[in-house]
């Protein structure tokens, strides 16, 4: 393996000499491992190693040039190519918000690293979960996906920053499939952590629960499509806040669109007085946590909504400069193959005082939705889907129903949140996709919340 | 490659090396203007070994550390699945035209011109439309070599263009868009812009819709966003082998409407999904999946075929850094005789679905789809009367495709994976 730190140090001396407004170089090396099960058997064990990098350049009167590569030979040639591409773009000058140059090395915490756990031990753990799923009557098949990896990035720019960062990730999804008379139902759980293998241990009970739920859902009815009072568990409420509001607060959607800028003026009311929404990589210990983003900007914690009003948004250096707001450290790239774009990190609704019992107590007929399959947004309208659903009748949890897809409109749905619980929890099992860059490690969270007039798809 | 194969053969009984490299250039537009020029050089090599009957696998971005790659693959082989196949021996491949040298010669100036033309065309009648999009070209080289002497190598060119427009009026946001791809240069932008202009026209006003079942026309984009994912999962040989495919036990049986036919086809000239062989070196073939409503085949790679005691259909496909798995090359739904306009005029009260957002988040395996109507229109008395919003459209493909009202005559490619005409279904659940 070439030493990317040394290569970076050599390049750092040369960067100021080029005729460009701004140049940054990212070099990266990573190792990943995956184990997958389909059915009773282990299906695949794979390992991979990757080395690559990119150069991004900006010139006066031009635009962005971007070059990515796997071969680390003749990097000055790549830098020249990026500058040439930047010159090709003619137009309005692009400005970047000021960020103080830093030299820093951020090493990963390796105390509980998955990289130190043997393949034999990982396999034993996963075998255990799979056996539990299969011991449930009515299970047709199962699937398990486990992945871990460590990555080291070297970031340097023409302003003099030189940042080395390591990160370790681990993630797992358990999925149980039940089938009867041509009908197929599935239930699953996703988990992840920034490098702590303990996050995927001790899940025997969870494995049992999803298997039983998949079987139970075969006999469950489907709700009728329409508007309901819904109560979301913290995991699904996390997915909700990510889709319903998080993406809209990404400034790259706002900064060049005059209508959207008007629509998203700071101070605009989006929700009730109880609603606070936060995003921040500076919130420690979560999957979306880091010290510097992929433009070398230090991580922050940003209140997107405070007491129902829009108070901040997520920025790259470019969007921050254009909007005259402080850079928030949200420029992220999934790997060296892509330029950094504005992304979320750890996004959550701050907890309030209601207990779960308080929240469901006065619901005459509603749906309690838990866990997630996925979510997506078009900024104004969004959908997200539950992994489990139960009717609420006269203030009590009632029968299991089939999982539902929920939808909403950001300009109404946040205002329809009328209860926020006291039990903040995070969903660390998801990955976010945007502009072809997926899955980016993020976390999202909330306490239990209740939404009035939420539209559900159904029969 | 030879060196990796030689080293692997010393420590494992069988081995296969897969190398893919590509060069890509694109121009990208943001807020109606050129913003980025990007180029990418990439390479990935992967090694699959069979040691003591078990499969091991490793991949890397470089061929230089060949011993490390071999060691990683051998390590994983201790735990890997038992191999139920043999690597293909030397084979002659059918020629399929997927390379056009003129793609690499399209200049960034020409690509920029195409992007600017698309943007100015769609903004002409709608100056408030804010467009982003891109024009890109790439060349990819794939080589496969195995210890049984099997060998395949091909070069593929790729050209694509597309734009998306957003129109924001107060809190109302409209998104329109289309794209096109080919192995040859696309120098004519009117197909893409024509579709976007139609979308803008249909969505000019808004229309309310009632909560009840109604007839729905899925356009090519609509079929792609709602109906195809369940089919792709159901015809995957792995899903069938596990007994999790609702049609797995129905080979030879009538499951869909008699007018519904579907095939997988990697042999269409100049399509980005075409190729002489799959990612395991198995020759490409056309595979009928549904013939006039009857289930006729499932899709297999070598290992899944071995487990299912059948033959690979040449559908072994590798994601980045992953073992081959069955995957369609391109789904082609046979067109019917009804035009889109005829479908619309047949409906008293119904919907046109262009984009169903999040439709594949539910129980895809069971055939369910349920999504928010991101782009769709109301039909009243045989005419499109405006855009419908804040509406969920749901259904189950096994129920809906059993009785199709009409299959369209106008087929289009959506991305590189689907070619379909519009499909007109009755009794689809709509909630608003």
């Amino acid at each position: 393996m070439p030493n990317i730190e040394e290569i970076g140090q050599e390049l750092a001396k040369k960067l100021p000499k080029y005729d460009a407004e701004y140049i940054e170089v990212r070099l990266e090396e990573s190792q990943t491992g995956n184990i997958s099960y389909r059915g009773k058997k282990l299906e695949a064990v794979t390992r991979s190693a990757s080395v690559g990098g990119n150069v991004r350049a900006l010139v006066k009167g031009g635009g962005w040039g971007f070059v990515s590569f796997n071969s680390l030979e003749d990097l000055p040639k790549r830098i020249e190519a990026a500058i040439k591409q930047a010159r090709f773009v003619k137009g309005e000058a692009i400005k970047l918000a000021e960020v103080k140059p830093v030299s820093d090395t951020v090493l990963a915490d390796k105390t509980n690293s998955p990289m130190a756990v043997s393949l034999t031990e990982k396999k034993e753990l996963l075998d255990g979960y799979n056996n539990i799923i299969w011991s449930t009557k009515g299970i047709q098949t199962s699937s398990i996906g486990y992945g871990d990896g460590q990555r080291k990035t070297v970031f340097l720019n023409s302003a003099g920053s030189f940042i080395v960062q390591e990160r370790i990730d681990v993630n797992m999804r358990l999925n149980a499939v039940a089938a009867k008379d041509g009908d197929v139902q599935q239930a699953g759980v996703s988990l992840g952590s920034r490098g702590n293998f303990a996050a995927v241990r001790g899940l025997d009970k969870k494995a049992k629960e999803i298997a039983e739920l998949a079987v139970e859902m075969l006999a469950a009815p489907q709700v009728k499509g329409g508007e309901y009072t819904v109560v979301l568990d913290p995991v699904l409420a996390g997915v909700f806040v990510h889709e319903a509001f998080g993406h809209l607060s990404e400034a790259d959607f706002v900064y060049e669109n005059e209508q959207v800028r008007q629509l998203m003026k700071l101070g605009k009311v989006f929700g009730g007085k109880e609603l606070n929404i936060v995003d921040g990589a500076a919130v420690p210990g979560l999957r979306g946590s880091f010290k510097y983003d992929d433009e070398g900007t230090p991580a922050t914690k940003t209140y997107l909504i405070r007491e129902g009003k829009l108070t901040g948004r997520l920025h790259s250096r470019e969007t921050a400069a254009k909007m005259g707001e402080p850079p928030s450290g949200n420029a992220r790239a999934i790997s060296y193959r892509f330029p950094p774009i504005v992304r979320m990190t750890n996004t959550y609704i701050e907890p309030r005082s209601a207990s779960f019992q308080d929240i469901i107590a006065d619901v005459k007929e509603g749906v309690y939705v838990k866990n997630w399959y996925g979510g997506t947004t078009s900024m104004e309208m969004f959908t997200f889907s539950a992994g489990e659903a139960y009717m609420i009748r006269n203030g009590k949890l009632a029968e299991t129903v089939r999982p539902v897809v929920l939808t909403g409109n950001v300009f109404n749905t946040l205002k329809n949140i009328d209860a926020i619980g006291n039990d903040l929890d995070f969903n660390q099992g998801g990955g976010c996709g945007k502009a072809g860059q997926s899955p980016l490690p993020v976390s999202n969270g909330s306490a239990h919340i209740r939404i009035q007039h939420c539209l559900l798809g159904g029969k | 490659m030879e060196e990796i194969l030689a080293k692997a053969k010393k420590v494992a009984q069988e081995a296969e090396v897969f190398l893919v490299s590509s060069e890509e250039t694109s121009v990208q537009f943001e807020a109606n203007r050129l913003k980025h020029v990007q180029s990418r050089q990439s390479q990935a090599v992967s090694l699959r070994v069979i040691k003591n009957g078990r499969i091991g696998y490793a991949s890397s971005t470089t061929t230089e550390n060949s011993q490390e790659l071999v060691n990683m693959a051998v390590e994983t082989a201790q735990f890997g699945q038992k191999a139920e196949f043999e690597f293909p021996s030397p084979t002659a491949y059918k020629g399929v035209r997927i390379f056009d040298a003129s793609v690499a010669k399209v200049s960034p100036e020409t690509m920029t011109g195409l992007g600017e033309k698309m943007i100015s065309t769609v903004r002409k009648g709608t100056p408030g439309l804010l467009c982003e999009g891109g024009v890109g070209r790439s060349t990819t080289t794939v080589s496969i070599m195995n210890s049984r002497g099997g060998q395949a190598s091909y070069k593929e060119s790729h050209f694509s263009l597309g734009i998306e427009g957003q129109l924001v009026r107060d809190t109302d946001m409209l998104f329109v868009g289309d794209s096109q791809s080919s192995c040859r240069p696309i120098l004519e932008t009117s197909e893409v812009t024509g579709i976007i202009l139609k979308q803008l026209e249909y969505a000019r006003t808004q229309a309310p819709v009632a909560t009840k079942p109604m007839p729905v026309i899925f356009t090519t984009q609509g079929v792609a966003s709602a109906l195809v994912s369940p089919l792709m999962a159901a015809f995957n040989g792995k899903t069938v082998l596990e007994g999790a495919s609702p049609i797995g036990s129905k080979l030879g049986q009538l499951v869909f409407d008699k007018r519904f036919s579907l095939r997988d086809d990697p042999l269409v000239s100049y399509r980005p999904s075409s190729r002489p062989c799959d990612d395991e070196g198995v020759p490409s073939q056309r595979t009928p999946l549904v013939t006039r409503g009857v289930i006729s085949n499932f899709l297999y790679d070598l290992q899944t075929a071995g487990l299912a005691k059948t033959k690979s259909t040449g559908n072994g496909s590798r994601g980045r850094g992953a073992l081959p798995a069955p995957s369609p090359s391109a789904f082609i739904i046979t067109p019917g005789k009804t035009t889109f306009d005829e479908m619309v005029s047949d409906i008293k009260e119904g919907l046109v679905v262009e984009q169903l957002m999040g439709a594949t988040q539910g129980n895809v395996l069971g055939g369910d789809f349920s999504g928010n109507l991101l782009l769709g229109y109301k039909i009243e008395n045989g005419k499109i009367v405006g855009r419908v919003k804040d509406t969920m459209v749901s259904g189950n493909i096994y129920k809906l495709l059993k009785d199709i009202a009409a299959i369209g005559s106008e087929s289009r490619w959506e991305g590189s994976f689907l070619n379909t005409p519009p499909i007109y279904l009755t009794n689809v659940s709509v909630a608003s």
Side-chain angles (χ1 to χ4, degrees), chain B residues 139-432:
Chain B
T139 305
T140 302
T141 309
V142 176
S143 308
I144 310 168
M145 199 178 263
N146 69 44
S147 53
R148 298 175 63 83
Q151 208 167 336
S153 182
Y154 64 89
K155 214 175 188 183
E156 177 162 8
S157 53
H158 186 205
F159 196 94
S160 66
L161 49 81
I163 50 166
E164 276 177 36
Q166 32 168 293
L167 186 63
V168 179
R169 292 167 293 201
D170 191 24
T171 64
D172 172 49
M173 297 181 191
L174 169 68
F175 295 86
V176 292
D178 194 52
S179 64
Q180 209 183 337
S181 64
S182 170
C183 297
R184 310 176 88 169
I186 303 167
L187 302 173
E188 182 50 62
T189 58
S190 57
E191 187 177 332
V192 165
T193 54
I195 282 180
I196 296 172
L197 288 170
K198 271 265 185 267
Q199 292 172 340
L200 287 168
E201 183 196 320
Y202 292 150
R204 195 134 287 164
T205 53
Q206 286 188 24
V209 68
T211 295
K212 63 177 181 187
M214 60 180 74
V216 172
I217 304 169
F218 291 83
T219 64
T220 294
Q221 285 192 14
V223 173
S225 68
L227 309 179
V228 164
S229 292
L231 290 172
M232 288 192 165
F235 283 98
N236 186 321
K238 263 189 200 180
T239 321
V240 173
L241 183 67
E242 291 161 0
S245 168
I247 52 169
S249 59
K250 297 190 174 161
L251 208 56
Q253 293 179 29
L254 186 75
V255 166
F256 298 109
D257 190 289
K258 276 187 179 157
R259 285 165 296 174
F260 186 72
S261 291
L262 167 72
R263 69 177 192 274
D264 183 65
D265 195 345
L267 294 169
V268 185
S269 292
Y270 296 115
R271 285 304 309 163
S273 51
S274 293
R275 62 213 180 185
C277 62
D278 72 357
D279 292 347
E280 300 183 290
V282 176
S284 288
Q285 65 175 53
R286 277 186 195 100
T287 307
L289 299 171
V290 182
T291 310
R292 288 184 289 282
V294 175
I295 307 295
S296 32
N297 278 296
F298 303 115
L299 299 176
Y300 291 99
D301 63 354
L302 286 169
Q303 172 73 0
T304 314
L307 289 166
K309 311 254 179 296
T310 180
K311 274 183 155 177
S312 167
T313 50
N315 286 88
S317 165
R318 300 175 195 246
R320 192 176 283 281
L323 269 168
S327 173
S329 58
F331 266 10
I332 298 184
I333 294 172
T334 308
K337 293 197 174 84
T338 315
T339 66
F340 178 73
D341 292 343
E342 284 165 356
M343 290 177 180
V344 173
S345 60
D346 189 53
I347 295 174
K348 194 161 176 295
E349 183 188 5
L351 288 183
V352 177
V353 171
E354 285 259 57
Q355 282 287 339
L356 210 52
M357 178 172 59
T360 58
Q361 288 167 16
N363 181 18
V364 170
L365 220 44
D368 291 343
F369 67 89
S370 183
N372 173 308
L373 192 57
L374 181 56
L375 184 61
Y377 326 110
K378 174 82 178 292
I379 301 171
E380 280 173 19
N381 300 317
K383 289 206 167 57
I384 292 176
V385 294
R387 181 185 180 202
V388 173
K389 280 176 60 177
D390 298 319
T391 298
M392 291 292 277
V393 177
S394 315
N396 181 289
I397 65 151
Y398 297 106
K399 288 178 189 144
L400 291 170
L401 294 178
K402 207 174 262 177
D403 186 16
I404 297 172
I407 296 181
S409 55
E410 300 127 323
S411 278
R412 280 199 78 217
W413 283 96
E414 173 64 27
S416 62
F417 71 96
L418 177 69
N419 183 280
T420 181
I423 297 180
Y424 167 15
L425 301 173
T426 49
N427 236 4
V428 181
S429 163
V430 175
S432 191

Side-chain angles (χ1 to χ4, degrees), chain A residues 88, chain B residues 27 102-113 137:
Chain A
F88 182 82
Chain B
V27 298
S102 62
V103 164
K105 292 183 190 128
V106 180
S107 68
E109 285 82 1
T110 305
M111 288 158 69
T112 305
R137 59 165 157 81

Side-chain angles (χ1 to χ4, degrees), chain A residues 11-296:
Chain A
L11 280 179
K13 290 177 209 156
K14 293 180 187 146
L15 280 194
K17 293 177 190 156
Y18 289 96
D19 182 19
E21 188 100 332
Y22 174 77
I23 304 171
E24 68 184 25
V25 178
R26 171 184 171 126
L27 303 171
E28 180 179 319
E29 62 183 34
S30 65
Q31 293 85 38
T32 58
N34 285 283
I35 304 173
S36 61
Y37 287 68
R38 296 267 300 216
K40 282 187 179 160
K41 283 186 195 154
L42 185 148
E43 179 185 52
V45 185
T46 64
R47 286 189 57 185
S48 84
S50 167
V51 182
N54 70 52
V55 179
R56 200 161 65 123
L58 194 59
V59 299
K60 267 209 172 78
W64 283 111
F66 176 85
V67 175
S68 75
F69 42 83
N70 284 124
S71 163
L72 300 186
E73 271 164 38
D74 202 4
L75 293 183
K77 192 183 86 189
R78 307 281 184 198
I79 295 174
E80 281 152 27
I83 294 172
K84 194 177 155 203
Q85 291 179 353
R87 277 192 214 297
F88 182 82
V89 183
K90 302 268 182 292
E92 190 188 326
I94 294 169
K95 291 205 172 59
L96 301 180
E98 276 307 314
V99 171
K100 239 171 66 188
V102 268
S103 282
D104 200 357
T105 297
V106 186
L107 298 176
D109 175 4
K110 299 194 172 94
T111 336
N112 251 322
S113 171
M115 311 312 277
V117 180
S118 72
L119 264 177
T120 311
E121 196 182 338
K122 288 172 190 167
K123 184 176 174 290
E124 270 168 19
L125 181 73
L126 300 177
D127 276 345
Y129 296 149
N130 208 29
N131 289 340
I132 290 170
I133 294 175
W134 276 94
S135 68
T136 305
K137 211 176 150 223
I139 286 295
Q140 178 66 37
T141 189
S142 65
S143 65
I144 296 177
Y146 167 89
D148 55 31
Q150 63 180 7
R151 180 160 88 182
K152 179 177 176 179
T153 53
V154 176
F155 173 89
L156 53 144
N157 68 22
S158 51
S161 279
F162 193 95
I163 302 167
V164 180
Q165 291 192 98
E166 285 181 348
R167 71 174 285 152
I168 302 175
D169 277 288
V170 55
N171 62 77
M172 182 175 75
R173 179 160 181 97
L174 303 176
N175 202 45
V177 179
K180 197 182 173 186
D181 307 329
D183 188 10
V184 177
Q185 288 293 313
Q186 48 186 326
V189 60
S190 298
L191 296 139
S193 151
R194 266 210 69 172
N196 187 350
F197 192 72
V200 297
R201 288 191 202 268
L203 297 167
D204 290 4
K205 204 173 137 235
K206 196 78 220 169
K208 183 85 194 149
E209 276 170 22
I210 61 159
E212 284 168 355
L213 181 65
V215 176
E216 191 185 339
M217 283 188 320
L218 281 173
Q222 196 179 0
V223 295
K224 203 165 173 288
E227 279 189 359
Y228 290 87
T229 298
V230 297
V231 175
L232 278 58
D233 83 327
V235 167
L236 188 62
V239 174
F240 163 77
V241 69
H242 176 102
E243 299 299 348
F245 193 75
H247 281 291
L248 191 62
S249 69
E250 293 165 346
D252 54 347
F253 178 66
V254 182
Y255 80 126
E256 296 207 283
N257 189 328
E258 198 38 52
Q259 279 78 23
V260 179
R261 282 178 82 144
Q262 291 304 323
L263 196 60
M264 295 297 290
K265 274 206 170 130
L266 298 183
K268 186 183 170 82
V269 175
F270 272 92
K273 281 247 179 283
E274 284 226 307
L275 185 66
N276 289 341
I277 301 178
V278 175
D279 179 277
V283 181
L286 298 168
R287 264 191 104 203
S289 310
F290 50 76
K291 191 166 178 192
Y292 301 98
D293 77 357
D294 293 320
E295 292 186 315

